[in-house]
Amino acid sequence: MSKFKEINIDHLKLSCSECNLRELCFPHGMKEEELSNLDAVVDQPKPLHKNDFLYRDGERAMAIYAVRSGCVKTMTESANGDEQIVGFHLPGELLGLDGFADGSHTCNAIALETSSVCELPLDQIESLCHRLPGLQKQMRRIMGKEVNNDHKLLLLLGKMTAEERLASFLLSLSARMEERHWKDNEFNLTMPRQDIANYLGMAVETVSRLFATFQSEKIIDVDRRHISILDIKRLRSIVGECE
Amino acid sequence: MSKFKEINIDHLKLSCSECNLRELCFPHGMKEEELSNLDAVVDQPKPLHKNDFLYRDGERAMAIYAVRSGCVKTMTESANGDEQIVGFHLPGELLGLDGFADGSHTCNAIALETSSVCELPLDQIESLCHRLPGLQKQMRRIMGKEVNNDHKLLLLLGKMTAEERLASFLLSLSARMEERHWKDNEFNLTMPRQDIANYLGMAVETVSRLFATFQSEKIIDVDRRHISILDIKRLRSIVGECE
DNA sequence: CCTGATAATTGATATAGGTCATGTTTTTTT
DNA sequence: AAAAAAACATGACCTATATCAATTATCAGG
């Protein structure tokens, strides 16, 4: 038995000003006194478990969300039932902007593993943005980022080969790991191959085969969901980036 | 010689409150007195000619733009030089949000034909949104729409067959024609086949062949750039929408 | 610790749609 | 009006990647 008392950290609210993700998240570029205003409205509900929905297509949009830990995927559904994953959201990344157009979400947000999120309620955003110019500006930046992200993905799906897509995916993950001051050459995939395949617009089998190829070419090392990037230059040259 | 005096309509400013596109554009949902505030800052520079750039990738973002007449395409460039068209913007539709992330545009915006646009200068947006809650709300709606649009396109590129893509494209155009109270079953394409192909992630030849197939099946009538939709139900069933 | 279920790999085969080549029509330039 | 250049169409062929099938590895629950 531990001599420490067990406490339920679910109910411990971590303030934005103390959050180590603040530079990636809502608070980016905000002043100290603005942050305390933000803290007052940001809620942290209990964590999501694997496969829990954060929100569903068609549901009324109540908030925008920031991932605090774990990973959340967003996916659109088509008329005839097939789905396209449009994003994997890592800690510090935001989601829920799809509800801005007409007040209802247009995609599903599902936790890939146990994850906690922070909520910024929509009904408070208006007044909050009015009081905090920093937040207003950050909101615009966030949306711009989302749009740019989507554009990159459109380019990937529209113009790249399967090999380029997977290389691009790994590079994107690596870069985002670095942003979080985590190891950028060694990380775990939080999603199954199926989800990677769906996101990149190809078949699972192709993902498997490409992982095998990259491994045999000593570009990466794959152990189940654990990825080590051995030759990032090769990855970059595959997607066509000059050094 | 005409007995009427020639006037340069380029310098005639049409106010937002009088614009017949106002319900699709910035003014949507705004009150009468808010509109006059909007009018005061919206600029209408001289028209763009075919192939003129409205803005370029990397350029500092100065404004967000609304198409008033004509059509403007936006395209992203990849590291290795290939391009993906991410949108065709019809009158009343907005563009330029890609500059919100870090103040610089990340795509090129090019006129497909002689087009005029209205500009809402970025440096005035902040104070204007502060004064006009209606604009603030509309800005959010606009961004949500952009995100939803991109998601639909991701689904198209990630999951649909060439046939479904082209059908989907025609249906989207038709719906947008209707929004503008134009004929929704008969319209002219403003873009060459090459651009359609690029946008839909396929080869020009495939676009040509599919137009021919659709025509032979009496789904549409194609005469060069003129499209008549003969059987919209068939188009809907191709993309998998139930009636 | 087993056991069915899920996830991942690997091989064989098929095909949607790309690429190449050629011809025609339309548009632009001189 | 002629020439050059785009834009578009159509046929023949090919390839990247999907699909199908079978096998192995991993995981979640009793």
Side-chain angles (χ1 to χ4, degrees):
Chain A
M1 264 297 166
S2 158
K3 61 180 177 178
F4 297 106
K5 245 187 180 163
E6 278 187 26
I7 55 170
N8 186 344
I9 60 161
D10 294 356
H11 299 144
L12 274 190
K13 193 175 149 175
L14 181 69
S15 75
C16 289
S17 41
E18 292 163 325
C19 183
N20 59 357
L21 296 163
R22 66 183 173 284
E23 280 314 309
L24 298 166
C25 191
F26 297 125
H28 174 93
M30 289 173 67
K31 301 194 197 85
E32 202 56 49
E33 74 262 26
E34 288 183 315
L35 279 188
S36 55
N37 275 291
L38 190 59
D39 276 331
V41 300
V42 169
D43 197 23
Q44 292 165 350
K46 57 164 64 105
L48 299 164
H49 297 115
K50 188 172 172 177
N51 295 325
D52 281 354
F53 282 72
L54 176 57
Y55 55 79
R56 281 170 193 271
D57 187 4
E59 240 172 53
R60 183 161 178 69
M62 304 302 289
I64 50 179
Y65 305 90
V67 178
R68 202 174 46 155
S69 68
C71 187
V72 176
K73 67 177 171 184
T74 42
M75 56 198 331
T76 43
E77 250 173 278
S78 84
N80 54 64
D82 46 28
E83 302 183 309
Q84 171 69 41
I85 296 175
V86 296
F88 297 113
H89 304 268
L90 300 184
E93 293 176 341
L94 306 179
L95 62 158
L97 302 186
D98 57 286
F100 273 13
D102 69 349
S104 300
H105 285 292
T106 58
C107 58
N108 296 310
I110 303 168
L112 283 165
E113 57 182 341
T114 305
S115 305
S116 59
V117 295
C118 299
E119 298 186 357
L120 186 51
L122 277 189
D123 58 17
Q124 308 213 34
I125 278 189
E126 187 151 357
S127 75
L128 203 60
C129 279
H130 202 259
R131 277 183 289 142
L132 312 179
L135 181 62
Q136 165 109 281
K137 200 169 180 201
Q138 174 61 354
M139 284 299 299
R140 274 200 294 276
R141 203 164 17 214
I142 287 163
M143 305 208 215
K145 243 182 165 175
E146 168 93 25
V147 168
N148 290 343
N149 242 337
D150 290 347
H151 286 179
K152 277 186 80 173
L153 198 50
L154 286 171
L155 185 72
L156 179 144
L157 290 176
K159 297 287 169 294
M160 293 187 183
T161 66
E163 192 189 29
E164 290 167 338
R165 292 178 201 197
L166 190 63
S168 178
F169 175 68
L170 292 170
L171 285 172
S172 160
L173 280 180
S174 171
R176 287 148 78 197
M177 293 294 148
E178 195 185 16
E179 264 184 348
R180 283 158 188 78
H181 310 294
W182 301 339
K183 279 192 182 172
D184 66 343
N185 61 346
E186 198 176 321
F187 47 83
N188 282 295
L189 300 171
T190 50
M191 69 295 287
R193 301 282 191 272
Q194 191 58 254
D195 282 358
I196 298 174
N198 180 300
Y199 179 67
L200 299 178
M202 51 180 143
V204 220
E205 293 92 329
T206 309
V207 174
S208 261
R209 280 186 251 269
L210 283 171
F211 271 139
T213 312
F214 283 177
Q215 175 141 31
S216 79
E217 291 179 354
K218 304 258 195 289
I219 297 173
I220 60 173
D221 187 77
V222 192
D223 176 19
R224 190 77 176 156
R225 302 243 180 130
H226 184 88
I227 303 286
S228 305
I229 297 182
L230 306 176
D231 189 349
I232 198 160
K233 284 187 174 179
R234 283 290 302 283
L235 278 181
R236 294 219 177 94
S237 79
I238 287 171
V239 302
E241 289 173 28
C242 321
E243 295 141 50
Chain B
M1 263 299 166
S2 157
K3 61 182 176 179
F4 297 104
K5 242 185 180 165
E6 278 186 27
I7 54 171
N8 186 345
I9 60 161
D10 294 355
H11 299 144
L12 275 189
K13 192 177 149 176
L14 181 68
S15 75
C16 289
S17 41
E18 291 164 324
C19 182
N20 59 357
L21 296 164
R22 66 183 173 282
E23 279 314 309
L24 298 167
C25 190
F26 297 126
H28 175 91
M30 288 174 66
K31 303 196 195 87
E32 201 55 49
E33 74 262 26
E34 287 184 315
L35 280 188
S36 56
N37 274 293
L38 191 58
D39 276 333
V41 301
V42 169
D43 197 24
Q44 293 165 349
K46 57 162 66 105
L48 299 164
H49 297 113
K50 187 171 171 176
N51 295 326
D52 280 355
F53 282 73
L54 175 58
Y55 56 80
R56 281 169 193 271
D57 187 3
E59 238 172 56
R60 184 161 178 70
M62 304 303 288
I64 50 179
Y65 306 89
V67 178
R68 201 174 48 156
S69 68
C71 187
V72 176
K73 67 178 171 184
T74 41
M75 58 200 326
T76 42
E77 251 173 278
S78 83
N80 54 65
D82 45 27
E83 301 182 310
Q84 171 69 41
I85 296 176
V86 294
F88 297 112
H89 304 267
L90 300 183
E93 294 176 341
L94 306 179
L95 62 158
L97 302 186
D98 57 286
F100 273 12
D102 70 348
S104 298
H105 286 293
T106 58
C107 59
N108 296 310
I110 303 168
L112 282 165
E113 56 183 342
T114 304
S115 305
S116 58
V117 294
C118 298
E119 297 186 356
L120 187 50
L122 277 190
D123 57 18
Q124 308 214 35
I125 277 189
E126 186 152 358
S127 76
L128 203 60
C129 279
H130 202 260
R131 277 182 288 143
L132 312 178
L135 181 62
Q136 165 108 281
K137 199 169 180 202
Q138 173 61 353
M139 284 299 298
R140 274 200 295 274
R141 204 163 18 217
I142 287 163
M143 303 206 215
K145 243 182 165 174
E146 168 93 24
V147 168
N148 291 343
N149 242 337
D150 290 348
H151 286 179
K152 278 186 79 174
L153 198 49
L154 287 171
L155 184 72
L156 180 143
L157 290 176
K159 298 286 168 293
M160 293 187 185
T161 65
E163 192 189 31
E164 290 167 337
R165 292 178 202 199
L166 190 63
S168 178
F169 175 68
L170 292 171
L171 285 172
S172 160
L173 280 180
S174 171
R176 286 149 77 195
M177 293 294 149
E178 195 184 16
E179 265 185 344
R180 281 156 191 79
H181 312 292
W182 299 340
K183 281 193 183 171
D184 65 344
N185 61 345
E186 199 175 320
F187 47 84
N188 282 295
L189 300 171
T190 50
M191 69 295 287
R193 301 282 190 272
Q194 192 58 253
D195 281 358
I196 298 176
N198 180 301
Y199 179 65
L200 299 177
M202 51 180 142
V204 220
E205 292 92 330
T206 308
V207 175
S208 263
R209 279 187 253 268
L210 284 171
F211 271 139
T213 312
F214 284 176
Q215 175 141 31
S216 78
E217 293 179 353
K218 305 258 195 289
I219 298 173
I220 61 173
D221 188 76
V222 192
D223 177 21
R224 190 81 175 153
R225 303 242 180 133
H226 185 86
I227 303 286
S228 305
I229 297 182
L230 306 177
D231 189 350
I232 199 161
K233 283 187 175 180
R234 283 290 302 284
L235 278 181
R236 293 221 176 93
S237 78
I238 287 171
V239 302
E241 289 172 29
C242 319
E243 292 142 47

